[in-house]
Amino acid sequence: IAKDGGKATDLARALRAIAYTSAREYEKSISDCDIALKTNLPGMLVNELHKTRGMDLFFLSRYKEALEMANKAVSCRTPDYSAYDTKATALANLNRHPEALQAIDLSIKSSPDSAESYRIKGSILENMRRYGPAVDAYRKAWQIKHTDWNVFRIAHCLDMQNKFAEAIEELSQ
């Protein structure tokens, strides 16, 4: 990090915070985010730091704080879908499923090709015991990105509806 106390320092600290998250050093990332967010960085980077800090807090199971950061990220001038993903996931972990569903629908609206957003939606619906719509969300996620996890979740939801033959067929494809 530059020692001149200027924008290079602020930018370097913000980028280091994001790198710490990638390295799973969440406390270090939170510290750098806190410092960088007190500076005068461009709006897009402020949004990214709010999302990063929210994800760090989420990974540390600090869901209420993660939700606060996600709310800041989505209220930025240029929020992106992943801020809504973080908000939805934090709300779901706080057992606030109807609100989580609203947040994930905003994510899907802003990025309809995000398999992760549909997977999160499926998970929220599954936790609400709305297995039919959960299957639909997981199938959409699978259409976008073929992963075994989505197939497993589809089969599980079908199983929960006593649709055993359909679950078996899903797993046999």
Side-chain angles (χ1 to χ4, degrees):
I1 294 190
K3 304 281 188 211
D4 66 8
K7 284 193 181 256
T9 301
D10 300 340
L11 179 59
R13 185 174 309 280
L15 295 174
R16 187 175 72 179
I18 295 165
Y20 275 141
T21 296
S22 297
R24 296 186 175 134
E25 299 212 27
Y26 306 122
E27 294 290 352
K28 289 180 181 178
S29 176
I30 289 169
S31 177
D32 274 357
C33 281
D34 288 344
I35 294 167
L37 284 167
K38 293 177 184 172
T39 64
N40 190 23
L41 292 168
M44 191 169 105
L45 191 52
V46 169
N47 178 36
E48 192 64 33
L49 287 173
H50 285 307
K51 286 187 332 188
T52 298
R53 192 170 190 282
M55 287 186 304
D56 294 335
L57 291 163
F58 176 81
F59 291 134
L60 294 171
S61 300
R62 293 164 54 185
Y63 303 123
K64 287 182 182 179
E65 294 170 89
L67 177 58
E68 289 174 26
M69 281 296 105
N71 281 332
K72 287 182 179 182
V74 298
S75 69
C76 284
R77 193 174 44 130
T78 55
D80 68 30
Y81 76 94
S82 64
Y84 290 108
D85 285 357
T86 301
K87 180 176 180 173
T89 307
L91 285 164
N93 277 279
L94 292 168
N95 293 316
R96 293 167 58 183
H97 297 103
E99 293 170 84
L101 203 51
Q102 290 174 343
I104 203 62
D105 283 341
L106 288 171
S107 175
I108 290 168
K109 182 179 178 183
S110 67
S111 185
D113 293 329
S114 170
E116 180 66 7
S117 297
Y118 282 103
R119 188 204 56 76
I120 293 168
K121 182 173 184 168
S123 178
I124 293 166
L125 290 163
E126 187 176 348
N127 285 319
M128 296 172 79
R129 292 176 169 61
R130 294 177 54 196
Y131 299 114
V135 167
D136 295 340
Y138 287 132
R139 281 191 172 135
K140 182 66 176 173
W142 187 84
Q143 287 173 352
I144 297 167
K145 184 177 182 180
H146 300 303
T147 65
D148 290 342
W149 181 253
N150 290 326
V151 174
F152 172 74
R153 297 314 312 162
I154 291 167
H156 174 74
C157 289
L158 291 169
D159 184 54
M160 295 303 294
Q161 298 174 84
N162 296 322
K163 296 180 177 180
F164 306 117
E166 197 175 337
I168 291 167
E169 184 178 325
E170 198 73 46
L171 292 168
S172 300
Q173 293 181 16

mmCIF file of all heavy atoms in Angstrom, residues 119-139:
data_model
loop_
_atom_site.group_PDB
_atom_site.id
_atom_site.type_symbol
_atom_site.label_atom_id
_atom_site.label_comp_id
_atom_site.label_asym_id
_atom_site.label_seq_id
_atom_site.Cartn_x
_atom_site.Cartn_y
_atom_site.Cartn_z
ATOM 1 N N ARG A 119 -30.222 -20.626 -7.804
ATOM 2 C CA ARG A 119 -29.925 -21.625 -6.785
ATOM 3 C C ARG A 119 -30.308 -21.106 -5.396
ATOM 4 O O ARG A 119 -30.917 -21.797 -4.598
ATOM 5 C CB ARG A 119 -28.444 -22.018 -6.804
ATOM 6 C CG ARG A 119 -28.147 -23.206 -5.875
ATOM 7 C CD ARG A 119 -26.712 -23.252 -5.423
ATOM 8 N NE ARG A 119 -26.242 -22.056 -4.761
ATOM 9 C CZ ARG A 119 -26.536 -21.697 -3.500
ATOM 10 N NH1 ARG A 119 -27.332 -22.417 -2.760
ATOM 11 N NH2 ARG A 119 -26.033 -20.594 -2.990
ATOM 12 N N ILE A 120 -29.981 -19.842 -5.138
ATOM 13 C CA ILE A 120 -30.351 -19.228 -3.855
ATOM 14 C C ILE A 120 -31.868 -19.184 -3.715
ATOM 15 O O ILE A 120 -32.416 -19.496 -2.657
ATOM 16 C CB ILE A 120 -29.727 -17.818 -3.725
ATOM 17 C CG1 ILE A 120 -28.204 -17.922 -3.613
ATOM 18 C CG2 ILE A 120 -30.309 -17.071 -2.518
ATOM 19 C CD1 ILE A 120 -27.481 -16.595 -3.770
ATOM 20 N N LYS A 121 -32.555 -18.831 -4.803
ATOM 21 C CA LYS A 121 -34.015 -18.795 -4.757
ATOM 22 C C LYS A 121 -34.572 -20.183 -4.439
ATOM 23 O O LYS A 121 -35.479 -20.320 -3.610
ATOM 24 C CB LYS A 121 -34.596 -18.286 -6.078
ATOM 25 C CG LYS A 121 -36.112 -18.181 -6.045
ATOM 26 C CD LYS A 121 -36.668 -17.518 -7.290
ATOM 27 C CE LYS A 121 -38.185 -17.360 -7.150
ATOM 28 N NZ LYS A 121 -38.729 -16.488 -8.184
ATOM 29 N N GLY A 122 -34.024 -21.199 -5.079
ATOM 30 C CA GLY A 122 -34.468 -22.564 -4.796
ATOM 31 C C GLY A 122 -34.276 -22.921 -3.335
ATOM 32 O O GLY A 122 -35.162 -23.510 -2.700
ATOM 33 N N SER A 123 -33.157 -22.540 -2.792
ATOM 34 C CA SER A 123 -32.859 -22.827 -1.386
ATOM 35 C C SER A 123 -33.834 -22.120 -0.450
ATOM 36 O O SER A 123 -34.319 -22.704 0.524
ATOM 37 C CB SER A 123 -31.418 -22.406 -1.077
ATOM 38 O OG SER A 123 -31.112 -22.613 0.273
ATOM 39 N N ILE A 124 -34.124 -20.862 -0.746
ATOM 40 C CA ILE A 124 -35.084 -20.105 0.081
ATOM 41 C C ILE A 124 -36.455 -20.776 0.029
ATOM 42 O O ILE A 124 -37.093 -21.009 1.063
ATOM 43 C CB ILE A 124 -35.170 -18.638 -0.384
ATOM 44 C CG1 ILE A 124 -33.846 -17.911 -0.117
ATOM 45 C CG2 ILE A 124 -36.329 -17.916 0.305
ATOM 46 C CD1 ILE A 124 -33.712 -16.577 -0.844
ATOM 47 N N LEU A 125 -36.899 -21.099 -1.181
ATOM 48 C CA LEU A 125 -38.205 -21.747 -1.331
ATOM 49 C C LEU A 125 -38.230 -23.113 -0.644
ATOM 50 O O LEU A 125 -39.223 -23.476 -0.014
ATOM 51 C CB LEU A 125 -38.549 -21.878 -2.816
ATOM 52 C CG LEU A 125 -38.875 -20.561 -3.519
ATOM 53 C CD1 LEU A 125 -38.792 -20.725 -5.031
ATOM 54 C CD2 LEU A 125 -40.241 -20.048 -3.095
ATOM 55 N N GLU A 126 -37.144 -23.833 -0.748
ATOM 56 C CA GLU A 126 -37.059 -25.141 -0.096
ATOM 57 C C GLU A 126 -37.180 -24.986 1.425
ATOM 58 O O GLU A 126 -37.889 -25.755 2.079
ATOM 59 C CB GLU A 126 -35.733 -25.800 -0.461
ATOM 60 C CG GLU A 126 -35.598 -27.218 0.003
ATOM 61 C CD GLU A 126 -34.305 -27.866 -0.468
ATOM 62 O OE1 GLU A 126 -33.588 -27.314 -1.341
ATOM 63 O OE2 GLU A 126 -34.011 -28.950 0.069
ATOM 64 N N ASN A 127 -36.510 -23.972 1.969
ATOM 65 C CA ASN A 127 -36.611 -23.725 3.412
ATOM 66 C C ASN A 127 -37.999 -23.287 3.838
ATOM 67 O O ASN A 127 -38.382 -23.456 4.997
ATOM 68 C CB ASN A 127 -35.567 -22.700 3.851
ATOM 69 C CG ASN A 127 -34.185 -23.296 3.917
ATOM 70 O OD1 ASN A 127 -34.010 -24.415 4.377
ATOM 71 N ND2 ASN A 127 -33.197 -22.568 3.439
ATOM 72 N N MET A 128 -38.750 -22.742 2.885
ATOM 73 C CA MET A 128 -40.144 -22.363 3.155
ATOM 74 C C MET A 128 -41.081 -23.545 2.916
ATOM 75 O O MET A 128 -42.291 -23.411 3.032
ATOM 76 C CB MET A 128 -40.543 -21.176 2.261
ATOM 77 C CG MET A 128 -39.763 -19.903 2.525
ATOM 78 S SD MET A 128 -40.101 -18.605 1.303
ATOM 79 C CE MET A 128 -41.672 -17.993 1.903
ATOM 80 N N ARG A 129 -40.519 -24.690 2.557
ATOM 81 C CA ARG A 129 -41.263 -25.908 2.238
ATOM 82 C C ARG A 129 -42.176 -25.727 1.024
ATOM 83 O O ARG A 129 -43.222 -26.355 0.921
ATOM 84 C CB ARG A 129 -42.024 -26.427 3.452
ATOM 85 C CG ARG A 129 -41.124 -26.938 4.554
ATOM 86 C CD ARG A 129 -41.869 -27.358 5.777
ATOM 87 N NE ARG A 129 -41.110 -28.074 6.769
ATOM 88 C CZ ARG A 129 -40.051 -27.639 7.441
ATOM 89 N NH1 ARG A 129 -39.534 -26.467 7.169
ATOM 90 N NH2 ARG A 129 -39.463 -28.378 8.374
ATOM 91 N N ARG A 130 -41.757 -24.874 0.119
ATOM 92 C CA ARG A 130 -42.470 -24.658 -1.149
ATOM 93 C C ARG A 130 -41.683 -25.415 -2.219
ATOM 94 O O ARG A 130 -40.961 -24.827 -3.019
ATOM 95 C CB ARG A 130 -42.569 -23.156 -1.432
ATOM 96 C CG ARG A 130 -43.456 -22.440 -0.411
ATOM 97 C CD ARG A 130 -43.531 -20.947 -0.618
ATOM 98 N NE ARG A 130 -43.937 -20.598 -1.976
ATOM 99 C CZ ARG A 130 -43.781 -19.382 -2.489
ATOM 100 N NH1 ARG A 130 -43.277 -18.401 -1.771
ATOM 101 N NH2 ARG A 130 -44.161 -19.146 -3.738
ATOM 102 N N TYR A 131 -41.827 -26.727 -2.183
ATOM 103 C CA TYR A 131 -40.971 -27.593 -2.973
ATOM 104 C C TYR A 131 -41.191 -27.488 -4.478
ATOM 105 O O TYR A 131 -40.234 -27.566 -5.250
ATOM 106 C CB TYR A 131 -41.112 -29.041 -2.497
ATOM 107 C CG TYR A 131 -40.710 -29.197 -1.054
ATOM 108 C CD1 TYR A 131 -41.651 -29.541 -0.091
ATOM 109 C CD2 TYR A 131 -39.397 -28.988 -0.655
ATOM 110 C CE1 TYR A 131 -41.286 -29.680 1.245
ATOM 111 C CE2 TYR A 131 -39.027 -29.118 0.676
ATOM 112 C CZ TYR A 131 -39.968 -29.461 1.620
ATOM 113 O OH TYR A 131 -39.602 -29.596 2.934
ATOM 114 N N GLY A 132 -42.427 -27.313 -4.918
ATOM 115 C CA GLY A 132 -42.690 -27.186 -6.355
ATOM 116 C C GLY A 132 -41.969 -25.989 -6.960
ATOM 117 O O GLY A 132 -41.212 -26.136 -7.932
ATOM 118 N N PRO A 133 -42.177 -24.786 -6.408
ATOM 119 C CA PRO A 133 -41.439 -23.620 -6.924
ATOM 120 C C PRO A 133 -39.919 -23.753 -6.743
ATOM 121 O O PRO A 133 -39.153 -23.249 -7.570
ATOM 122 C CB PRO A 133 -41.997 -22.452 -6.116
ATOM 123 C CG PRO A 133 -43.351 -22.905 -5.665
ATOM 124 C CD PRO A 133 -43.221 -24.393 -5.456
ATOM 125 N N ALA A 134 -39.497 -24.452 -5.679
ATOM 126 C CA ALA A 134 -38.055 -24.662 -5.483
ATOM 127 C C ALA A 134 -37.491 -25.494 -6.635
ATOM 128 O O ALA A 134 -36.411 -25.183 -7.159
ATOM 129 C CB ALA A 134 -37.788 -25.340 -4.142
ATOM 130 N N VAL A 135 -38.219 -26.530 -7.023
ATOM 131 C CA VAL A 135 -37.784 -27.362 -8.158
ATOM 132 C C VAL A 135 -37.651 -26.489 -9.407
ATOM 133 O O VAL A 135 -36.667 -26.593 -10.148
ATOM 134 C CB VAL A 135 -38.772 -28.532 -8.404
ATOM 135 C CG1 VAL A 135 -38.513 -29.189 -9.755
ATOM 136 C CG2 VAL A 135 -38.666 -29.552 -7.280
ATOM 137 N N ASP A 136 -38.625 -25.619 -9.640
ATOM 138 C CA ASP A 136 -38.565 -24.733 -10.814
ATOM 139 C C ASP A 136 -37.319 -23.855 -10.784
ATOM 140 O O ASP A 136 -36.642 -23.687 -11.808
ATOM 141 C CB ASP A 136 -39.812 -23.857 -10.890
ATOM 142 C CG ASP A 136 -41.090 -24.649 -11.135
ATOM 143 O OD1 ASP A 136 -41.001 -25.796 -11.609
ATOM 144 O OD2 ASP A 136 -42.182 -24.105 -10.827
ATOM 145 N N ALA A 137 -36.998 -23.299 -9.610
ATOM 146 C CA ALA A 137 -35.821 -22.439 -9.484
ATOM 147 C C ALA A 137 -34.537 -23.237 -9.698
ATOM 148 O O ALA A 137 -33.630 -22.796 -10.416
ATOM 149 C CB ALA A 137 -35.810 -21.755 -8.116
ATOM 150 N N TYR A 138 -34.450 -24.418 -9.095
ATOM 151 C CA TYR A 138 -33.260 -25.251 -9.287
ATOM 152 C C TYR A 138 -33.115 -25.690 -10.746
ATOM 153 O O TYR A 138 -31.994 -25.761 -11.263
ATOM 154 C CB TYR A 138 -33.307 -26.485 -8.384
ATOM 155 C CG TYR A 138 -33.068 -26.219 -6.921
ATOM 156 C CD1 TYR A 138 -33.918 -26.745 -5.951
ATOM 157 C CD2 TYR A 138 -31.977 -25.462 -6.487
ATOM 158 C CE1 TYR A 138 -33.683 -26.525 -4.596
ATOM 159 C CE2 TYR A 138 -31.743 -25.233 -5.140
ATOM 160 C CZ TYR A 138 -32.604 -25.766 -4.195
ATOM 161 O OH TYR A 138 -32.375 -25.555 -2.869
ATOM 162 N N ARG A 139 -34.233 -25.981 -11.401
ATOM 163 C CA ARG A 139 -34.164 -26.369 -12.821
ATOM 164 C C ARG A 139 -33.650 -25.207 -13.672
ATOM 165 O O ARG A 139 -32.874 -25.409 -14.610
ATOM 166 C CB ARG A 139 -35.523 -26.854 -13.318
ATOM 167 C CG ARG A 139 -35.810 -28.279 -12.883
ATOM 168 C CD ARG A 139 -37.018 -28.864 -13.581
ATOM 169 N NE ARG A 139 -37.121 -30.286 -13.262
ATOM 170 C CZ ARG A 139 -38.233 -30.890 -12.920
ATOM 171 N NH1 ARG A 139 -39.370 -30.217 -12.869
ATOM 172 N NH2 ARG A 139 -38.231 -32.178 -12.646
#
